[in-house]
Amino acid sequence: MKVGFCSLGCKVNLYESEYMMSLFKERGYTIGDFDEDCDIYVINTCTVTNNADSKSRKMINHIKNNHPNSIIVVCGCFVESNKFSDTESIDIVIGNYNKSKVVDLVSSYIKEKKQLIEQYDMKKVPFEDMMINHFEDKTRAFVKIQDGCCNFCSYCIIPYVRGPIRSKKFNKVLEEVKSLVSNDYKEIVLTGIHTGSYGKDLETNFSTLLEELLKIENLKRLRISSIEITELDDKFLELLKNDKLCNHLHIPLQSGSDKILKLMNRKYDKKQFLEMINKIRSIRPSISITTDAIVGFPQETEEDFEEYIDFVKQVKFSKLHVFPYSKRNGTKAAEMDGQIDPKVKKERAKKLIELSKKLEKEYAYKFIGEELDVLVENHDSSYAYGHTSNYLKIRLDKECKHNEIVKVKITKDNICL
C-alpha cells in the first residue's frame, strides 16, 4: 500500500513525519507523493498561526474531497488546539502523542474499519522516543532533542498543544547523532519546540549536551535550529569557539519595544538581548544572527514600532522572519485591549520585511572575495546549490557532488538572495 505525507509547520513536525515514514517503510509500505493517488494519507498539522489552521484544514478537505476511499490520518497541533472538531469523516486522529503508533493504528483500521482517536492530556505524557538514522533525499539531518514549552508567551498556543518541557535521554541523543554521522551526514541540526530548554527535566542542560556532541569524531557541522537569548550561558559562549558549531544562530526577538516584550511575557528586555548579542560577536565577529519578529501586537503604537525598527538596525540581524500578530483563542493576548487594525499590521510587516532584505544583502555581501566551505545539497539542470556554515545559500558548478563540502570563493553572482 502507498502512503502520502503532508507535514506542515516547524522542523519538529518534519522530524516526526520523517520518523513516521520510516515506520511505514519498515513494515513494507511504499511512500508516495502527496499529490498522487495513495491508499493512505498522513497529514501532520500545525496551529501556530491562523494561516497554519487554514492550511491544515485545507489539506484535510482536499484529501477528503479528492480521495474519499483512502484512509486519512490527521495528527499534530491542529488536532490538539480544539479547533479541529470535524472528526467524523477522519479515519484516524492522533494528537501530539503516540505518533509512533501510526502504523499499528492503520493496521487496526484496515482490519476493523472503525474510527480510531488517540488523544491524551499533554500535561501528563512523557517524551515520545523517536530515532532516525536516515533522511530521504537530504544532506542535513535533524535530531529532535526536546518537546514542549513552559514559557507561556501571551500570544502563543504551543505550550497548550505540545505540553510542558520533556527531553530525550542524554545518551539517546548521542547515539542518534553518532548513527547519523556514521551514515555520512555532514550537518546535524538540533531541534525541539524550545530547544535550549533541553535537560531541565533530566538534571542536565543544553550546553552540557552540546559539549559532548562536539566531541563526536567525523562530525563536520552542528547547527542549532533556534535558541532563546535567556538560554545562552557562559559554557555555551565558551563552546562557540569550536568551529564544528555552525556560524549561525537563530535567536527569536519578537519585538524591539520593552513595553511590548513585557506584554508578550518574554523573559528579557532590549538591554539584556543586546548585551548577549555583543558577547556572541566578541567571540564570533562574522556570525549570522537571524530572528523571528512579530508586528502589530496588541497596544503596539507607531512609536513602539519605530523603537522596534531602530533596535533591529542596532542589532544588525542578518535576516528576519516577520509575522503579523495572529490572534489566538485561548491565549492572554487574544483578550487584550488595543488590537491592531489588519491594514496597519500589514504595513508594518512590509516595512520590517524591506529592512530584513536590506540587512540580508549587507550581511551576505561582506563575504564577497572570501573562501567559505559549502555543503552541496541539491542540483537543478544548470547548477548545484548548498549552504555555508553561516547559512548563506550559494550557487555552485553543477559538477559539484551531492553531500560534499567544497571550498568556494564567494562572489556577488553566486550568492542566492
Side-chain angles (χ1 to χ4, degrees):
M1 297 180 82
K2 191 187 286 185
V3 189
F5 269 83
C6 173
S7 191
L8 301 166
C10 67
K11 291 180 176 69
V12 171
N13 258 14
L14 289 172
Y15 176 92
E16 291 170 348
S17 293
E18 193 80 35
Y19 178 71
M20 288 188 280
M21 280 185 220
S22 72
L23 296 178
F24 276 106
K25 283 189 277 191
E26 283 169 14
R27 299 275 280 271
Y29 291 81
T30 301
I31 304 301
D33 193 274
F34 193 74
D35 294 327
E36 57 190 39
D37 287 326
C38 296
D39 304 289
I40 303 155
Y41 291 92
V42 179
I43 305 167
N44 198 5
T45 62
C46 177
T47 191
V48 73
T49 65
N50 284 340
N51 280 342
D53 280 349
S54 297
K55 281 183 185 176
S56 296
R57 190 173 288 284
K58 184 179 177 183
M59 289 299 172
I60 294 164
N61 288 336
H62 171 75
I63 298 302
K64 279 163 56 178
N65 295 334
N66 291 285
H67 305 277
N69 298 319
S70 297
I71 296 168
I72 304 175
V73 182
V74 176
C75 56
C77 292
F78 185 52
V79 173
E80 295 286 358
S81 72
N82 296 318
K83 291 180 179 298
F84 179 52
S85 55
D86 179 24
T87 59
E88 294 83 6
S89 54
I90 305 301
D91 304 307
I92 300 168
V93 178
I94 310 172
N96 271 326
Y97 185 67
N98 265 351
K99 290 178 183 178
S100 301
K101 284 176 64 177
V102 63
V103 185
D104 290 335
L105 292 169
V106 167
S107 297
S108 295
Y109 182 83
I110 290 168
K111 286 176 190 171
E112 299 173 19
K113 293 291 187 290
K114 183 181 174 185
Q115 186 192 45
L116 297 165
I117 297 177
E118 286 275 319
Q119 276 192 275
Y120 298 84
D121 183 347
M122 291 307 296
K123 292 175 188 171
K124 297 177 181 177
V125 299
F127 184 84
E128 185 174 4
D129 256 330
M130 301 177 181
M131 183 169 172
I132 302 176
N133 55 30
H134 176 74
F135 284 77
E136 203 67 40
D137 302 322
K138 291 182 175 68
T139 52
R140 186 180 289 120
F142 293 88
V143 176
K144 178 188 167 185
I145 64 169
Q146 176 282 332
D147 206 338
C149 180
C150 297
N151 268 8
F152 291 96
C153 298
S154 63
Y155 53 81
C156 188
I157 199 75
I158 297 305
Y160 305 97
V161 299
R162 280 280 179 177
I165 291 164
R166 289 103 64 209
S167 305
K168 183 175 280 186
K169 291 288 185 341
F170 197 92
N171 287 337
K172 288 196 173 182
V173 178
L174 295 179
E175 183 188 344
E176 186 168 5
V177 173
K178 285 176 182 175
S179 173
L180 288 162
V181 169
S182 70
N183 285 336
D184 204 30
Y185 286 92
K186 304 288 196 299
E187 182 173 309
I188 307 297
V189 185
L190 301 180
T191 191
I193 296 300
H194 192 190
T195 311
S197 68
Y198 174 83
K200 287 185 178 178
D201 55 331
L202 297 179
E203 296 183 356
T204 185
N205 60 44
F206 183 64
S207 295
T208 303
L209 177 68
L210 269 189
E211 186 176 36
E212 289 305 306
L213 290 173
L214 289 167
K215 293 175 185 174
I216 294 173
E217 196 176 351
N218 297 323
L219 171 65
K220 302 297 183 188
R221 288 183 182 177
L222 187 63
R223 194 180 294 279
I224 302 162
S225 60
S226 179
I227 191 163
E228 294 288 343
I229 201 82
T230 51
E231 291 155 356
L232 304 178
D233 56 18
D234 289 343
K235 190 172 189 176
F236 180 90
L237 292 173
E238 188 63 29
L239 292 170
L240 266 181
K241 295 171 184 174
N242 190 315
D243 288 341
K244 284 186 180 182
L245 204 54
C246 283
N247 201 27
H248 167 237
L249 289 173
H250 185 82
I251 307 173
L253 172 66
Q254 305 303 13
S255 178
S257 156
D258 281 338
K259 181 189 97 177
I260 300 300
L261 287 171
K262 193 170 182 181
L263 286 170
M264 287 178 164
N265 196 32
R266 300 293 285 172
K267 307 299 189 285
Y268 52 84
D269 58 24
K270 291 193 308 180
K271 182 173 180 286
Q272 291 167 306
F273 194 97
L274 188 58
E275 282 174 355
M276 183 54 74
I277 296 296
N278 289 337
K279 283 182 183 178
I280 291 165
R281 287 194 173 128
S282 71
I283 298 163
R284 288 219 181 170
S286 67
I287 195 168
S288 168
I289 297 175
T290 56
T291 199
D292 294 330
I294 295 171
V295 295
F297 191 79
Q299 300 178 38
E300 182 187 74
T301 63
E302 279 300 321
E303 291 76 16
D304 296 327
F305 182 63
E306 288 305 317
E307 182 187 342
Y308 195 166
I309 291 279
D310 289 343
F311 189 67
V312 166
K313 289 176 181 176
Q314 189 179 1
V315 175
K316 290 188 177 176
F317 293 104
S318 47
K319 188 172 184 177
L320 291 86
H321 299 276
V322 179
F323 305 93
Y325 166 71
S326 178
K327 193 173 180 180
R328 315 302 295 149
N329 292 334
T331 64
K332 287 187 178 180
E335 307 301 322
M336 286 180 182
D337 294 332
Q339 299 288 329
I340 307 298
D341 185 283
K343 286 183 182 176
V344 173
K345 284 193 274 191
K346 191 174 179 181
E347 286 166 11
R348 290 178 187 172
K350 186 181 176 186
K351 284 182 184 176
L352 212 49
I353 290 166
E354 284 170 0
L355 176 57
S356 174
K357 287 176 181 175
K358 180 174 179 284
L359 291 170
E360 187 179 7
K361 186 181 282 188
E362 283 176 6
Y363 177 77
Y365 283 4
K366 281 196 276 186
F367 297 91
I368 290 173
E370 289 192 27
E371 283 197 340
L372 299 178
D373 288 338
V374 179
L375 174 61
V376 184
E377 295 162 35
N378 50 55
H379 293 72
D380 63 19
S381 57
S382 305
Y383 298 99
Y385 300 89
H387 284 86
T388 60
S389 171
N390 59 338
Y391 217 59
L392 297 179
K393 186 177 180 182
I394 303 298
R395 187 184 296 110
L396 307 158
D397 190 293
K398 69 176 180 181
E399 302 305 317
C400 290
K401 291 181 182 175
H402 181 77
N403 200 37
E404 289 294 308
I405 292 179
V406 295
K407 201 167 278 296
V408 179
K409 188 171 183 178
I410 306 302
T411 69
K412 196 172 183 178
D413 292 333
N414 64 19
I415 297 171
C416 299
L417 290 173

